[in-house]
């Protein structure tokens, strides 16, 4: 990781280091179906000079999902009404965990996509998919989320389950607050910083009030409650005892849209790339109705039917179900939040580590890294109702209401990237251990 003394500056250029275990997504050759599809798209793109949003320059808005394909640095734009892919454009960068909680609903006009990139975060204009800001944190893992009022971006930087459990020279991790208001004179600038020590801040999530944020500290065995304004730590809550040997290792979290519940993904083992105690995983349900005094209600383990270690989760708008992304099981595991039990598994056709609600929050879009498609889960049916083809190794997704007006050049490069050609820049992002589609 980079030195914790590195300054936090907007538009700081490319990161100084890349995650290990880079994967060549085309090492086994090019899929014939994808070749034919990409060749056709390349021909059409070369022939047409218009835009997906229309060539008249009008502001086009409609329910949309943006999927980041880590294998070829493209974005697939999906119509969230028809669940059809509209285009795949090359953007020179990618994201495993873009900010996808707020600023994404059908009533929102927010038009910035915040990406976690190696060394910091980057902002793309949703209208053009061009970069408009960048902030360096000094760490490879970064986890951004937008406040409900769409004014601030909080970023937890430095946390991962593969941290050295006993470093000789421990890093001083950080949580930063960034001005996310595009109309502000200080847009894209750091407005607050909390140095946490070697605690491993590993995610950020908000209840709808936006007064507080919740940050799991994977190396400190605590759930940190952060006051957004003033920007400071309001509480640090011990996460309790592990299910077996090792530590709890809380590392990711999702607050409900109602603001009463919080899901936390736990490692249940020990830190490190080769842990002394293998990580089994568990899922915790917390009561956050009093935000600065959260309390654990239930912990679901393998003995309770959890099929594999969960990586992240999403909670439905009604607060009835949690959708746990369990990539080792090639499934999304459904958790009944009323009784704290596993309700079933949904086969998504491969490995997925994240998902995002569409703007109407009726459907959950799950990028499936190993299948090159997005599985669409209808919440009312609690079932997969469609799949949408994407670029190579789709990993992160976010909803919105802006239909990008991308250039012919970006679409042409997207088609060439789908053919397996390396075009443009290949900025890296960070993924969890054993999900190495991000280098």
């Amino acid at each position: 990781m980079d030195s914790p003394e590195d300054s936090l500056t907007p538009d700081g250029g490319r990161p100084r280091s890349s995650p290990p275990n880079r994967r060549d997504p085309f090492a086994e050759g090019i899929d014939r179906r994808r070749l034919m599809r990409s060749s056709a798209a390349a021909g059409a793109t070369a022939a047409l000079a218009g835009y997906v949003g229309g060539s008249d320059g009008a502001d086009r808005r409609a329910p949309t999902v943006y999927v980041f394909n880590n294998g070829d640095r493209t974005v697939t734009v999906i119509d969230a009404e028809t669940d059809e892919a509209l285009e795949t454009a090359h953007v020179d960068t990618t994201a495993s965990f873009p900010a996808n909680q707020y600023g994404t609903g059908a009533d929102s006009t927010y038009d910035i996509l915040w990406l976690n990139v190696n060394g910091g975060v980057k902002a793309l204009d949703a209208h053009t998919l061009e970069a408009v800001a960048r902030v360096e944190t000094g760490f490879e893992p970064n986890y951004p989320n937008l406040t409900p009022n769409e004014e601030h971006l909080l970023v937890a930087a430095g946390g991962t389950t593969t941290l050295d459990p006993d470093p000789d020279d421990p890093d001083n991790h950080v949580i930063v607050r960034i001005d996310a208001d595009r109309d502000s004179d200080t847009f894209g600038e750091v407005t607050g910083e909390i140095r946490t020590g070697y605690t491993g801040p590993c995610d950020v999530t908000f209840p709808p009030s936006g007064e507080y944020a919740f940050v799991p500290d994977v190396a400190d065995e605590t759930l940190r409650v952060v006051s957004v304004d003033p920007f400071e730590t309001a509480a640090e809550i011990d996460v309790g005892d592990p299910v077996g040997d090792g530590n709890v290792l809380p590392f990711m979290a999702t607050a409900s849209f109602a603001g009463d519940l919080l899901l936390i993904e736990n490692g249940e083992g020990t830190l490190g790339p080769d842990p002394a105690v293998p990580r089994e995983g568990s899922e915790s349900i917390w009561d956050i109705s009093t935000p600065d005094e959260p309390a654990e209600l239930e912990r679901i383990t393998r003995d309770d039917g959890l099929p594999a270690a969960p990586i992240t989760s999403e909670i439905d708008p009604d607060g009835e179900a949690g959708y746990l992304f369990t990539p080792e099981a090639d499934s999304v595991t459904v958790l009944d939040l009323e009784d704290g039990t596993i309700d079933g598994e949904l086969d998504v056709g491969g490995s997925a580590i994240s998902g995002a609600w569409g703007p109407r929050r009726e459907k959950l879009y799950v990028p499936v890294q190993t299948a090159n498609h997005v599985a669409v889960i209808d919440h009312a049916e609690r079932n997969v109702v469609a799949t949408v083809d994407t670029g190579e190794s789709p990993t992160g997704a976010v909803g919105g209401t802006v239909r990008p007006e991308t250039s012919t050049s970006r679409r042409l490069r997207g088609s060439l990237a789908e053919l397996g050609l390396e075009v443009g820049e290949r900025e890296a992002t960070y993924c969890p251990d054993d999900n190495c589609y991000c280098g």
Side-chain angles (χ1 to χ4, degrees), residues 78-116:
I78 296 176
D79 184 325
E81 298 280 28
T82 63
D83 295 331
E84 296 176 340
L86 300 175
E87 69 164 323
T88 294
H90 194 275
V91 292
D92 302 300
T93 188
T94 191
S96 53
F97 299 114
N100 68 358
Q101 188 177 16
Y102 291 101
T104 63
D107 296 330
S108 174
T109 59
Y110 196 72
D111 59 1
I112 296 294
L113 306 175
W114 288 98
L115 318 185
N116 66 313

Side-chain angles (χ1 to χ4, degrees), residues 17 22 35 38 50 56-57 128 136 152 159 190 196 202 216 226 235 238 244 263 291 312 325 331 345 405 408 428:
S17 61
R22 288 178 177 268
L35 174 63
S38 300
D56 57 1
T128 63
E136 293 285 317
H152 307 285
V190 173
T196 68
C202 207
V226 175
D238 189 283
L263 289 179
T312 53
F325 303 101
S331 68
E345 288 183 68
E405 296 185 356
T408 303

Side-chain angles (χ1 to χ4, degrees), residues 151 198 261 307 309:
E151 293 181 359
Y198 192 72
L261 295 177

Side-chain angles (χ1 to χ4, degrees), residues 145-166:
N145 242 332
L146 190 70
T147 55
N149 64 8
E150 303 174 356
E151 293 181 359
H152 307 285
L153 185 83
L154 265 61
V155 183
T160 170
T161 56
T162 56
L163 287 173
D164 187 337
D166 188 23

Side-chain angles (χ1 to χ4, degrees), residues 226-239:
V226 175
S227 167
V228 175
D229 191 10
F231 191 53
E232 61 188 16
T233 296
E236 294 176 73
I237 310 300
D238 189 283
V239 295

